[in-house]
Structure formats: structure tokens, C-alpha cells
Amino acid sequence: MALVSSYWVYSEYSFTVSRRDVLAAGRLRAQQVAEAARQQLSATFRGVDYLLQTLRRDYARAPERFKLLATQGLALLPASAEAQILIYDAQGRLIETSGVAPAWHSIADASFFQEQRAQAFDDGLTMGEARREEAGTRWVVPMARPILTTEGFGGVIVMLVSPQFLSEELSLVVLGRNDTVGAVHIPDGTYLARSSEVGTLLGRAVKVSRPYLRPDAPAQGVFTAVATHEPIERIYAWARLRDLPVVIFVGLSTADMLAPHDAAVTAHRWTNLLGTLALIGLAAALILLALRNVRQRAALARQEALYHALFDQNHSVKLLTDPRDGRILAANAAAASFYGYTREQLTGMNIADINCLSRDEIARCMAEAKTGVPPSFVFPHRLASGAIRMVEVFSGPVTAGKDTALYSIIHDVTDRFELERSLRESEARYRGIFEAVPAGMLLVDESGEVVAWNEQALQILRSDAAGLKARAIPLLDAKGEAVPHARRPSVRCLQEDIREELYIVSDAEGRRVWVSVEGRRFQPAGAGAPTGAILAFSDITRAVQLEEEVLISERVFEAAAEGIMVTDGKWEIIRVNPAFGEITGYRAEDVLGQKPKMLAWGRNGLSFYRPIFKSLATKRSWEGDIANRRRDGKLSVERTVVSAIVQSDGRLSGYVALMSDITARKHQEEEIWLRANFDAPTGLPNRTLLADRIEQALTLKRHPQGLVGVLFIDLDRFKPVNDRWGHAAGDELLTLVARRLSGAMRAEDTVARVGGDEFIIFLPRIETQDEAMAVATKVLDLLNEPFTLSVGEANISACVGVAVGRSGITSAESLIRRADAAMYRGKTSGRSRVVAFAEQEEQATA
């Protein structure tokens, strides 16, 4: 029993030890996978950073070609990247975008933008946390580099990539069903990528207790914990990216890792149980079984540690070769998938069968690999399909017993080589651009020597190569004085930047040529002297001549008596002359950048401006009167002529408006119209305007049964008021009558004065004659009430004649005559009464 107990204790202890060994091997494997994933994602970020730097340099040289260059650059990335390039200014406002719809119009509040702006002249790559676009639900990961100018921070160039793209890159590190690999942003721990369920985890973070989120966390590490979002215990290993706030983590499920071990342990326990039962009868069989169990456990541990943890389960391409003759001793499943052979075929091959180098070169490289120097090699490898792929091989010696083999991890770097080839082509292209650029270009090295120039520089400076290098070109400043040697731009360019300086050179015929010079120094990333400078020359002789012509035009513009307003193509005011200020009361600084609608007085709607825009679109001009409001609030009317500014290529670049103040003339015209249509003492429409309104109403034909009514009112006892208190009192009484009648009528009715004490009320919409009679009775009652004048109280009355006509049939004058006839009949039969026109009176009024 003591022997059986000892054996069971030993077996359980060995199971515990083997379990610990499996977990230790898992920790080591997790670290190796994390390092492989870090290298994979680092290579991706290096490619993105190189593309950002290239596009930033291209944008600085040719901003107008940004979209084309960005499209060409993004074509180097896989379609799954869903990448977009954006340019933002120093305030975070969007300037350019490679896509149709920008992700964000402003990034002023983004942490990565604020970090870039705070770093001033520090040119480094910055990565932000995953963010949603302004429109839609798509998540993107921003990577940015600053746009630095001589004045400082000028904005950022940002590349947005899809988290799914980064997740696909990490998914190349193939893991088990319950294993995971991902990337998080630090220090907040939000997800940037994950091999599974990344779509549901974006915007969320790992547990704050994760050790790699601590400020003092090392670059690499390993720990065991339960997953943040799943009830799974895993061994986690992390590897931090250099220079970027990103941590790569790999989580290997302890349950999956221990499953084969636990199954073996269970089997061993059953075996031990049977052995224990047999040992009661056969002690010798127990000793044999124990020895066999020890040998199997040791073999299983070695097999598990060597192949399963470090070789077979790793999805990086791995080979084990004999350094003596190059035989492939072992290959994992990833190697078979990569090369297109089965593992058995690879094991029977020589490394020379897939390596395109000669056998002597292969032997030399294998000898170097045994020493560990260098740590990696780059080879062309041939696949089973015949395709050649460039691979980077990390190879080193491993010892198993007395045998030494080369353990190689192989990465496919063909895409990186293609990118380098593209860079070489880009360099050649930029050399061609240097020669083809229409401006003269000249390079000065750190010692101040002229080392390169293009043909255009020789033509502009009227010199040959020897004169250019010797700085022997006669050079005058803008005042025509000779420039000393120490003040030449090519001499000063290493001490200061040259900014649009003007010089004069002479051609062979002695004619002066104006030259504009700009120069920039090549500043190293850190502090130190400039490594060189570039000068650009432009022949601006024609521009100088045009400037003189523009100066003449400028004087005409300033002296013009008409107001002149110039806008750009978006109708934003870019210039006005002094006469504009005299007409509108606005100074130039009040209106620049504004739109002409700021002058509008608020009553000209879209129907007023639509014909203007139509005429400008078709005829490129418009002329008419516009009512505007001056700065002091007064209304003014300007005779305005608007003309479109069209370039020689047909492109519309803006508009120019000539304005003449015709306010006084308009007031005169309005006064004449008022006198012709309104009664001066009462302000009521006169007979002319009344007849016009009646005619308009009669022509409308609102409905077949529609009627209109006219009430002809003649005041009674008006003359005694004039006789007693004078004409002033009579005018005051007429005004009060007008107010009382107007206040009692509908808005659509018209009250008019047509004679001394005669008024007419026009009813444009009635149903029956009784309705008109009711209004007349109401009028009579109103006029029978006393009127309080400034000189005393006056009592008057009136006779009201009523005439009704049908729309579209009766004329205005006919209706007025009928109402007048009815009123006259009322006068002759007595006062203060309402009389309707009778049909038998028609002949009398004709």
C-alpha cells in the first residue's frame, strides 16, 4: 500500500508538473506569437507612414495634384484598407480629401490632432483611437503626420484605415478557435483591431487592470486572466509598438491548451487505476507500468514542448534544416501552405530546392546562421507553382541532444520589395520633374557649393554652367544696384530662407530681365546646421509689366464716380471702390468677405433675384434698379449693372457691379404717382385709382354668381361747417370721415374721395344686393354720430346710393353713374337715407 500511495502521489505530482510545463510552453508561445504579430502590424504601419510622408511632400510641392497623387498612393494598399487621405489646417479644419465624403470636417477636438499641434516642430507619426465618421456608422483608425512650415505647425495630413483591415493583417497570425489576437490604443485601452468580433468591440476598451495599460509597463510581458468580453481564461502576451501608442496582445485559451494534456492525464489515471488493481496481485507488473508511464510522460513533454508549442501550432512559416547538408528536417503546416508542398514532400527536400541562390551561397549563409550573425537573411524562394517570392528568414541554431539544427522563421516580404521598387521609380520620376519644372532650380550643399541645377535655371539667369557654379552672373537688386557677393541668394541661402526677392539680370542684347528668387534650407530632424538648400528662379518680367498696367487700372477704379463692387465666383465681396462707400455708407472693411445680400432691405424675395441670376447665366450681364439699405438704415435705390467676369478659357471667376444712386429720382417718381392716385387731404384713393380697382375686380370673374357693389356717399350739412369754422375745419371733418369709413370696412374694400364732400365705397365681393344695402346702412349710422373737431362738435349726415353689378359684365364708370343716380334720387326725396339703384333708372343714366 505504501508503494501504491507513493506512486499515486508521484503520478499526481508529475501531472501537476507537466500541466505547469504545458502552461509555461503556452506562455512562451504566446510571447512568440505576440512578437510575430507586432512585426506584422509594424510593417503595415511603416508602409502607411512612408505613404503619408510621400504624399505630404507631394502636397507641399503641388497642392493642386493632391487628389491624383493620393489616389495613386492609396492604390498601393489593399482594397480592404478602405483608406482615405485628408489634409487639415492648423485649426483642424478640412482642406483636402481624397474621397467624396470626408470623414470629419473638423478634428480640432481630436486627441491626436491636439498632440500634433502641441509638439510644434516635432515631425512624428501620431495614431489616434478608433473613431466614427461624422456621417454613417463606419469606424476608422487615424494616423497623422504634421505639416510643418517655417512659421511652425501648419496642419496635419491624416490617413484613415479600416479597423477591419488591421484585423485582417493580425489574422495572418492564425490561432485556435478560442484564441485571439488584437491591438489596443493606449493609455485608454480602446480596440483598434481584433481577430474576431472587431465590429462589436470598436469604441469599447479592455479592462483597466490589464498590466500593459500601466504607465510603467515594459514593452513586452505575459499574464493569465479572464477575457474582458468573454468568460474564457487565456494566457495573454503583449508587445508594444515602438514610437506608437499601440499594444499588440495575443490570448491563448488555457482550456484549449490543456485539453490534450488533461485528456492524457485522464487516460493515465484510468491506466494507473487498472495498474493499481493489478499491482495487488502482480507487484512486478506495477513496477513495469510505472517505468513505462515515466518514459511516455517524458517523451510526451519533449514532443509537446518542441513541436506543438514552438512549431506545429505556430502559423508563421517555419523550417528545421540540417546545417551540414541543407536537408529539411521538419516543416509546419504554414510552410506547407506557403510553398504549396505537403509537409511530407518538404521533409524529403533540400533547402536548395526552394532557395534560388547557389549551393555555395546557401552553405555560406547557413554557416553564418549557426553563429547568429546576422540575425536575418533575405532570399528569393521558389514555390511549388514556380512563382518567386522574396522572403526574410530569421534563422538560428537549436540543439536537441547532440544534434544541432537551424530553426528558421520565414516572412513573405515580396510586397515590401515591390514598395521599394515603387520608391525607386518615384525617385526617378522626381528627378525628371526637377528637370522638367518650368522654374529654374538650383541646389546648394552644406558647404555652400552649387551642386545641381536644371536647364531652365541657365536660361532664366542667362548663364552657362561654369558661370553658375562660379557665381559670376552680373546681378542687380530691384533698385538697379549691383549685389555684393556676400548678399547673393546662393551664398545666403544656408543662413536664412529666401522669400520672394527680386533681382535683375541682363540678356545678350542688354535687355533687363526681372527674376523672382525663393530659397529654402534642408533642416535635419534634430538640431544642427542645414544640410543644404534649394533655390527657385522665375522670370517675372511680364508680370512686372502687367503690374504697371494694373496700377493704371487701379487708379481708374479708385477715381470712378459710380460705385464698383467686385465679387468672386461664390458671390463673396473681394473689392469695392471709394464711390461704393459714398453710396452705401459702408467702408471696405465692413463688406469684404460678405455677400451682396447684406445690402438688401429684406423685401426682395427669391422671385426678384431669380431673373437676375437667369440673365447672368445666359447673357453674362443684367441691368436694373435694386432697393438697398444704407449703413445708417436709410433706404436707397441704385441703378445697377452686373457683369460676369469670364476668363479666356471660359471659366467664371466672379462678378463686377456698377451702381448709381437714383434714390432722389425714385422719390420724385413716387411723389408724382401718389399725387395722381390719392387724395391729398384725406389720403384716400382718388377717382382714378378707384376706377382702376373696380375694373380689375370686374375682370377677375370670381364665380358666375359673383357681385360687386358701389356705395356713392354725399355728405349732408357739410357746407355749414365750412361757413361756420372755415375751410380748415372742413378739411379736418373730411379727414375724420375718411378715418371712420376706412376703419369700418374690410381690408379688401376700397374707400375713395371723388369730390368735395363725396365719397365712394367699393365692395369687390358680395353675394346679394341686400348685403350692400346693409353696409350702406352701417355707413349712414356711422356718419350720423357727432364728429369732434378741434374747434367744436359737428353733426352731419349723408345720402348713400347703392349700385350692384355682376363681375365681367358691368364697367366701372357704369357702376359709379348708377350709384350716383341712386344717391341723387335720395337727395331729392329727403336727407339721411339709403337708396338702391332701380333698373328703370338705367335709361336715365345712360
Side-chain angles (χ1 to χ4, degrees):
M1 293 302 294
L3 183 59
V4 169
S5 299
S6 298
Y7 175 73
W8 274 96
V9 170
Y10 173 76
S11 295
E12 291 300 325
Y13 172 75
S14 65
F15 295 154
T16 302
V17 171
S18 63
R19 180 186 178 90
R20 188 167 57 244
D21 291 342
V22 170
L23 293 176
R27 292 167 70 89
L28 177 60
R29 177 171 173 259
Q31 290 177 302
Q32 292 173 337
V33 174
E35 177 59 20
R38 186 193 67 79
Q39 294 177 7
Q40 182 72 29
L41 205 57
S42 293
T44 301
F45 287 153
R46 284 197 301 271
V48 169
D49 187 30
Y50 177 79
L51 186 55
L52 269 178
Q53 295 186 61
T54 302
L55 290 176
R56 181 181 62 178
R57 184 173 63 249
D58 292 342
Y59 176 76
R61 294 175 177 173
E64 68 279 1
R65 301 185 63 220
F66 169 75
K67 285 187 178 294
L68 175 61
L69 296 174
T71 303
Q72 293 175 349
L74 292 176
L76 299 175
L77 298 177
S80 61
E82 298 180 1
Q84 186 179 17
I85 305 292
L86 306 103
I87 303 290
Y88 292 90
D89 63 14
Q91 284 72 43
R93 295 188 296 263
L94 180 67
I95 300 176
E96 289 283 355
T97 176
S98 64
V100 177
W104 312 294
H105 288 83
S106 172
I107 57 170
D109 62 337
S111 59
F112 72 88
F113 173 76
Q114 296 172 357
E115 179 181 349
Q116 288 281 18
R117 183 164 57 184
Q119 290 175 352
F121 285 93
D122 186 12
D123 183 10
L125 179 67
T126 301
M127 171 175 287
E129 66 274 17
R131 294 170 53 126
R132 289 181 186 271
E133 292 181 332
E134 286 180 352
T137 60
R138 194 171 78 100
W139 287 82
V140 292
V141 177
M143 287 172 279
R145 271 199 173 264
I147 298 175
L148 301 178
T149 66
T150 54
E151 288 79 15
F153 178 73
V156 294
I157 179 170
V158 181
M159 176 179 286
L160 306 178
V161 296
S162 168
Q164 284 77 10
F165 165 65
L166 300 180
S167 302
E168 291 173 5
E169 291 294 300
L170 291 177
S171 296
L172 296 176
V173 182
V174 183
L175 302 172
R177 181 171 59 87
N178 292 317
D179 300 339
T180 183
V181 58
V184 298
H185 186 270
I186 55 175
D188 54 5
T190 56
Y191 285 97
L192 296 175
R194 197 171 186 263
S195 59
S196 62
E197 298 181 350
V198 66
T200 62
L201 297 178
L202 290 175
R204 301 171 67 182
V206 298
K207 291 180 179 178
V208 296
S209 60
R210 292 301 191 236
Y212 51 77
L213 296 181
R214 294 198 302 263
D216 58 344
Q220 295 179 325
V222 62
F223 65 97
T224 301
V226 176
T228 302
H229 307 287
E230 302 161 302
I232 300 176
E233 182 185 73
R234 296 190 178 104
I235 295 176
Y236 287 94
W238 79 83
R240 190 170 186 171
L241 268 63
R242 291 186 292 271
D243 301 326
L244 285 177
V246 179
V247 167
I248 307 300
F249 68 85
V250 173
L252 304 183
S253 170
T254 56
D256 293 353
M257 191 181 302
L258 292 172
H261 172 271
D262 293 340
V265 167
T266 301
H268 286 312
R269 283 173 177 161
W270 280 105
T271 303
N272 291 346
L273 179 59
L274 295 175
T276 300
L277 296 175
L279 183 61
I280 296 175
L282 298 170
L286 178 61
I287 294 173
L288 214 63
L289 182 61
L291 292 176
R292 180 184 176 188
N293 181 57
V294 171
R295 288 195 300 270
Q296 287 178 345
R297 181 175 55 79
L300 178 62
R302 286 194 301 271
Q303 181 74 11
E304 194 81 0
L306 179 61
Y307 291 104
H308 193 67
L310 298 178
F311 201 78
D312 288 328
Q313 290 186 2
N314 195 307
H315 294 278
S316 295
V317 177
K318 292 189 176 183
L319 295 176
L320 200 64
T321 56
D322 190 333
R324 294 171 298 182
D325 56 9
R327 286 186 303 109
I328 298 176
L329 303 176
N332 66 354
S337 175
F338 176 70
Y339 287 106
Y341 297 102
T342 64
R343 296 177 67 179
E344 291 75 14
Q345 289 174 324
L346 282 173
T347 306
M349 296 170 63
N350 192 287
I351 194 66
D353 296 333
I354 58 176
N355 196 321
C356 298
L357 299 181
S358 65
R359 289 185 176 270
D360 292 339
E361 291 175 322
I362 294 173
R364 177 181 57 79
C365 292
M366 295 181 73
E368 293 176 351
K370 289 180 64 177
T371 66
V373 180
S376 65
F377 303 86
V378 177
F379 298 126
H381 277 193
R382 181 182 292 106
L383 308 184
S385 63
I388 304 298
R389 305 292 291 181
M390 297 301 298
V391 297
E392 186 174 17
V393 180
F394 294 85
S395 187
V398 293
T399 302
K402 297 181 179 180
D403 296 330
T404 299
L406 289 179
Y407 180 76
S408 301
I409 301 175
I410 300 166
H411 297 292
D412 186 353
V413 295
T414 307
D415 291 341
R416 189 181 78 190
F417 269 71
E418 287 296 322
L419 181 58
E420 292 174 353
R421 181 184 60 80
S422 176
L423 293 179
R424 289 192 296 270
E425 293 176 354
S426 178
E427 182 179 359
R429 181 168 61 253
Y430 288 127
R431 287 199 190 101
I433 293 174
F434 181 79
E435 290 297 332
V437 69
M441 307 293 290
L442 184 147
L443 294 179
V444 178
D445 65 11
E446 65 274 11
S447 64
E449 295 296 324
V450 178
V451 295
W453 57 87
N454 62 357
E455 184 63 28
Q456 194 68 17
L458 300 178
Q459 295 179 10
I460 293 175
L461 297 178
R462 273 56 174 181
S463 175
D464 55 15
L468 197 66
K469 293 194 65 172
R471 297 180 172 89
I473 305 167
L475 194 63
L476 305 178
D477 61 17
K479 297 179 180 179
E481 298 178 359
V483 178
H485 178 81
R487 296 301 302 167
R488 283 177 171 265
S490 61
V491 176
R492 293 188 291 114
C493 62
L494 291 178
Q495 286 76 41
E496 59 180 322
D497 289 339
I498 310 300
R499 300 188 180 280
E500 295 186 3
E501 296 183 358
L502 298 181
Y503 296 94
I504 303 172
V505 296
S506 299
D507 59 14
E509 288 76 22
R511 291 175 298 187
R512 287 189 168 189
V513 178
W514 287 85
V515 178
S516 174
V517 181
E518 288 204 24
R520 296 292 184 273
R521 293 171 290 177
F522 302 139
Q523 293 288 154
T531 58
I534 182 170
L535 294 176
F537 305 89
S538 299
D539 185 347
I540 62 167
T541 305
R542 178 57 181 162
V544 172
Q545 296 171 350
L546 292 175
E547 185 177 0
E548 294 176 353
E549 297 174 3
V550 169
L551 182 60
I552 296 173
S553 301
E554 179 73 18
R555 291 174 179 171
V556 174
F557 181 85
E558 295 293 328
E562 293 87 357
I564 302 176
M565 176 179 64
V566 183
T567 73
D568 60 13
K570 297 179 179 179
W571 286 99
E572 291 185 359
I573 301 174
I574 59 177
R575 190 148 184 216
V576 295
N577 70 341
F580 174 88
E582 295 175 2
I583 294 173
T584 66
Y586 287 97
R587 299 170 298 178
E589 55 267 28
D590 298 330
V591 299
L592 294 183
Q594 303 290 329
K595 294 193 175 182
K597 67 180 181 181
M598 67 170 290
L599 304 174
W601 71 313
R603 296 188 181 179
N604 292 335
L606 182 61
S607 60
F608 175 81
Y609 291 105
R610 188 179 291 112
I612 299 179
F613 295 141
K614 182 178 180 181
S615 179
L616 288 174
T618 56
K619 301 177 181 179
R620 297 297 191 185
S621 65
W622 176 85
E623 181 175 358
D625 298 339
I626 297 179
N628 288 324
R629 190 179 297 279
R630 291 173 50 86
R631 187 178 183 183
D632 57 10
K634 296 181 179 178
L635 292 180
S636 65
V637 181
E638 289 92 30
R639 186 66 178 180
T640 305
V641 179
V642 185
S643 300
I645 303 174
V646 182
Q647 303 296 334
S648 57
D649 58 358
R651 179 173 51 88
L652 177 67
S653 61
Y655 301 91
V656 59
L658 275 68
M659 304 158 52
S660 300
D661 190 349
I662 61 171
T663 306
R665 191 182 76 190
K666 283 292 184 180
H667 285 168
Q668 292 175 355
E669 293 175 354
E670 183 178 355
E671 182 68 24
I672 293 171
W673 185 85
L674 287 174
R675 291 179 181 177
N677 292 277
F678 287 87
D679 176 57
T682 63
L684 294 177
N686 60 16
R687 191 181 189 96
T688 302
L689 183 56
L690 172 68
D692 181 65
R693 291 184 179 178
I694 295 175
E695 291 291 348
Q696 290 183 24
L698 291 174
T699 57
L700 288 178
K701 298 183 180 179
R702 289 185 174 86
H703 55 82
Q705 302 303 321
L707 299 177
V708 298
V710 172
L711 312 183
F712 199 111
I713 305 168
D714 184 81
L715 301 182
D716 295 331
R717 297 194 298 276
F718 176 73
K719 186 174 182 303
V721 175
N722 272 339
D723 295 340
R724 180 180 180 185
W725 289 308
H727 291 288
D731 290 342
E732 183 181 0
L733 177 58
L734 292 175
T735 302
L736 294 177
V737 169
R739 290 178 184 173
R740 190 173 291 183
L741 293 177
S742 298
M745 295 299 105
R746 299 172 301 183
E748 61 189 23
D749 299 335
T750 299
V751 179
R753 182 181 176 218
V754 295
D757 58 354
E758 295 177 341
F759 296 84
I760 290 179
I761 297 177
F762 172 55
L763 307 174
R765 181 171 54 85
I766 58 176
E767 299 296 330
T768 64
Q769 180 174 299
D770 292 342
E771 186 177 343
M773 293 296 290
V775 174
T777 302
K778 177 182 177 183
V779 169
L780 192 61
D781 293 339
L782 288 173
L783 296 179
N784 284 334
E785 295 179 5
F787 289 87
T788 302
L789 306 180
S790 59
V791 295
E793 186 175 280
N795 291 283
I796 63 173
S797 62
C799 281
V800 182
V802 179
V804 174
R806 190 175 305 282
S807 299
I809 299 177
T810 309
S811 67
E813 287 301 325
S814 175
L815 274 176
I816 294 174
R817 285 197 305 270
R818 292 180 180 185
D820 187 12
M823 181 276 298
Y824 183 75
R825 184 158 53 87
K827 279 280 190 180
T828 58
S829 59
R831 298 179 182 272
S832 186
R833 61 180 57 205
V834 175
V835 180
F837 178 77
E839 292 298 331
Q840 56 269 24
E841 296 180 278
E842 179 68 32
Q843 190 171 8
T845 59

